[in-house]
Amino acid sequence: MSDGVWAAPGRVNLIGEHTDYNDGFVMPFALPHTTIATAARRDDGLLRLHSANAAGGTVHLHVADLVPGSPGGWSDYPAGVVWALRDAGHPVGGADIHYESTVPAGAGLSSSAALEVVTALALSDLYELGLERQRIARLCRRAENVYVGAPTGIMDQTASACCTAGHALHLDTRDLAQRQIPFDLAAHGLSLLVVDTRVQHSHSEGEYGKRRAGCEAGAAALGVDALRDVPYAALDAALARLDDPEVRGLVRHVVTENHRVERVIAHLEAGEAEAIGPVLTEGHASLRDDFRVSCRELDLVVDSALTAGALGARMTGGGFGGSAIVLTRTSAAGAVSQVVLEEFEARSLTAPRIFAAAPAAGAKRLS
């Protein structure tokens, strides 16, 4: 018997990549793809976790034994949430939780955040903790940073917990101020395609951490708390003070990416949805050349989509694989998708998965 059913979505980041751990601006929206948790409270301290999407059967854990650094595969994410809740003083005992997910894993669409957030929301209700959504996001980030060991920022968990349907979420990751920006592409005859390259990535591997350390080194060299504090107008002067060319590239990306978030918001609020296309493409070039987190397949999606007439395209998510987004007129979406598929086939690459994305609601209880 279950005590309830909860759902939390994956996300697409429209613009603002690798800025969240630099105290910058991000602009994600929630996908209709969700992780669903069917859960029941236990009072014996036993945590039983089962996923319809993972092999290996049910994972059995004792909540009192949960400590960071205990590798357990996919179950580390929900287990980490239980640990983070208990470490923060919340009286969480055991639970039986079964998961089913339609969020593509390893696609840069925040399947891990969806898993964390749905777990936290279910446990908050089961144990009557009354946690507000931003608190859930912070606890889930702590679970991923400390328990799982992935040095991610707070964007993914906040998007899964706090997004609203029909909007992109403008999040200031320094003070966590949120603003819901209307994002109705259909009203402008436009579509946003998500192209999952099926190239798997893992944030807990070393390259993500190296980029974060490089950003921190750049901020230290410039005498600021975070790269958020480098004004766009003063970027050239700041870069001239940096000796390491790799650090210069990281700094240039973060500062210009924060500026791109502001430009996208200005275009959307002015009703100029088509105008965000070139800004997305600029973002991809910056992620490819300055931050160096793209890959052959992501570049191929962007290049082939633009050649086919798309208005803009870029990789989305942490990089090293995962997904790209393509802004196109709805009337041309089929043709653009076909060109992308043909270009992958011509190079004997695995066919990507392509779907149109519209902003959905954040986490919620279903029953």
Side-chain angles (χ1 to χ4, degrees), residues 82-100:
V82 175
W83 169 82
L85 287 166
R86 289 170 57 85
D87 190 62
H90 298 293
V92 173
D96 291 331
I97 312 178
H98 171 74
Y99 301 96
E100 297 182 47

Side-chain angles (χ1 to χ4, degrees), residues 83-297:
W83 169 82
L85 287 166
R86 289 170 57 85
D87 190 62
H90 298 293
V92 173
D96 291 331
I97 312 178
H98 171 74
Y99 301 96
E100 297 182 47
S101 183
T102 58
V103 184
L109 303 176
S110 295
S111 59
S112 59
L115 180 56
E116 292 159 356
V117 169
V118 77
T119 302
L121 184 60
L123 292 172
S124 177
D125 286 353
L126 290 176
Y127 284 90
E128 300 179 344
L129 305 179
L131 297 176
E132 54 91 16
R133 295 308 178 90
Q134 192 56 67
R135 177 62 174 159
I136 284 176
R138 291 196 297 270
L139 287 165
C140 289
R141 177 184 59 172
R142 177 161 163 72
E144 188 153 347
N145 289 172
V146 179
Y147 195 93
V148 179
T152 56
I154 199 168
M155 174 183 67
D156 296 349
Q157 293 85 359
T158 303
S160 186
C162 301
C163 278
T164 62
H167 296 77
L169 176 66
H170 176 215
L171 174 67
D172 182 333
T173 64
R174 169 163 284 171
D175 62 10
L176 302 183
Q178 299 180 22
R179 195 154 62 100
Q180 301 287 347
I181 307 298
F183 188 53
D184 183 5
L185 292 180
H188 298 271
L190 303 176
S191 294
L192 191 75
L193 304 178
V194 177
V195 184
D196 175 8
T197 65
R198 302 185 189 267
V199 177
Q200 299 288 302
H201 70 167
S202 174
H203 279 170
S204 58
E205 293 178 357
E207 291 301 317
Y208 187 100
K210 289 178 183 177
R211 302 303 188 280
R212 182 165 186 163
C215 290
E216 293 168 352
L222 295 171
V224 295
D225 291 336
L227 294 182
R228 148 74 172 276
D229 298 310
V230 180
Y232 177 74
L235 176 58
D236 289 344
L239 295 177
R241 296 169 54 194
L242 300 172
D243 297 326
D244 187 330
E246 292 190 3
V247 172
R248 278 201 303 272
L250 299 179
V251 171
R252 181 166 47 237
H253 167 73
V254 172
V255 176
T256 57
E257 186 79 347
N258 280 325
H259 186 55
R260 280 186 284 272
V261 174
E262 295 174 329
R263 290 165 61 197
V264 166
I265 292 171
H267 285 311
L268 291 176
E269 291 186 331
E272 303 164 348
E274 284 194 17
I276 73 173
V279 186
L280 301 182
T281 305
E282 286 177 29
H284 183 77
S286 181
L287 288 160
R288 180 192 64 211
D289 301 335
D290 281 337
F291 223 75
R292 298 172 292 107
V293 291
S294 190
C295 66
R296 175 192 181 191
E297 290 83 357

